[in-house]
Amino acid sequence: MYRSILVPIDGSKSSMIGLKHAIALARDQHARIRLLNVVDEAAVATMMGDAAGVVVFPKLIESLRTQGLEALDRAQAAADKAGAKTETVQLASRGQAVSAVILREAKRAKVDLIVMGTHGRRGLNRLLLGSDAERVLRDAPVPVLLTRKDPRTRPGASRRAAPEGKREASPAAATSAADARAKSAA
């Protein structure tokens, strides 16, 4: 079903979780993994303000390239160790959103699936920073598998997983139950 899987890698834990899923799929489907790192030059320009449009910050961009290549090397080593076939590519955003670069590469490389980690931003962070994963999901010409860190550990999670057969109430429910028991005992 899948012959070629695109996996954007930025070195984050969430991108490595995406890679783990892609490796499992690639092994099952006998597919090749195309690891992609995007050097986000637009983010550098945004961080540096108006002057970034005129002044080039070669050391910072070179540092991003180096970190991206290191992330690709780590990802490729993990995939190779698991027996998955890989190829790597690093692209510059050249003023485009990272999601646009991912989508362009998916079309150019004719991949069958995109697997990517998501940081799971919510609220104001999501509004301000946007979501490359959401844009990829919305506009991709192929299926997209989004992965994230364990949802039980994300900030704001109201429930923790309980052992099988037992259900753990939320802290608010536990407090209400304790209050009810105290009132009935009085």
Side-chain angles (χ1 to χ4, degrees), residues 1 10 15 22 41-42 65 76-78 80 112 126 136 147 151 153 162:
M1 180 176 223
D10 63 6
S15 73
E41 295 167 343
R65 283 190 188 113
Q76 187 170 32
D80 289 348
D112 304 307
R126 184 171 175 190
V136 168
T147 63
T153 61

Side-chain angles (χ1 to χ4, degrees), residues 58-71:
K59 287 184 179 179
L60 186 53
I61 297 295
E62 188 56 36
S63 174
L64 289 175
R65 283 190 188 113
T66 300
Q67 289 173 10
L69 291 173
E70 290 169 355

Side-chain angles (χ1 to χ4, degrees), residues 10 14 31-32 41 54 75 81 88 93 100 102 111 119 129 136 143:
D10 63 6
S14 61
R32 178 172 217 80
E41 295 167 343
V54 178
K81 184 177 178 181
T88 63
S93 65
I102 294 168
V111 300
H119 297 285
L129 300 173
V136 168

Side-chain angles (χ1 to χ4, degrees), residues 45-122:
T46 301
M47 287 187 313
M48 298 302 174
D50 293 335
V54 178
V55 179
V56 178
F57 297 94
K59 287 184 179 179
L60 186 53
I61 297 295
E62 188 56 36
S63 174
L64 289 175
R65 283 190 188 113
T66 300
Q67 289 173 10
L69 291 173
E70 290 169 355
L72 284 172
D73 287 345
R74 286 190 304 274
Q76 187 170 32
D80 289 348
K81 184 177 178 181
K85 299 175 200 157
T86 60
E87 54 194 23
T88 63
V89 63
Q90 185 180 61
L91 300 172
S93 65
R94 302 197 192 283
Q96 293 183 314
V98 170
S99 57
V101 178
I102 294 168
L103 291 166
R104 187 179 71 232
E105 181 61 14
K107 290 175 187 172
R108 193 199 68 68
K110 297 181 177 144
V111 300
D112 304 307
L113 175 69
I114 301 170
V115 178
M116 61 188 297
T118 179
H119 297 285
R121 291 185 184 103
R122 299 194 178 282

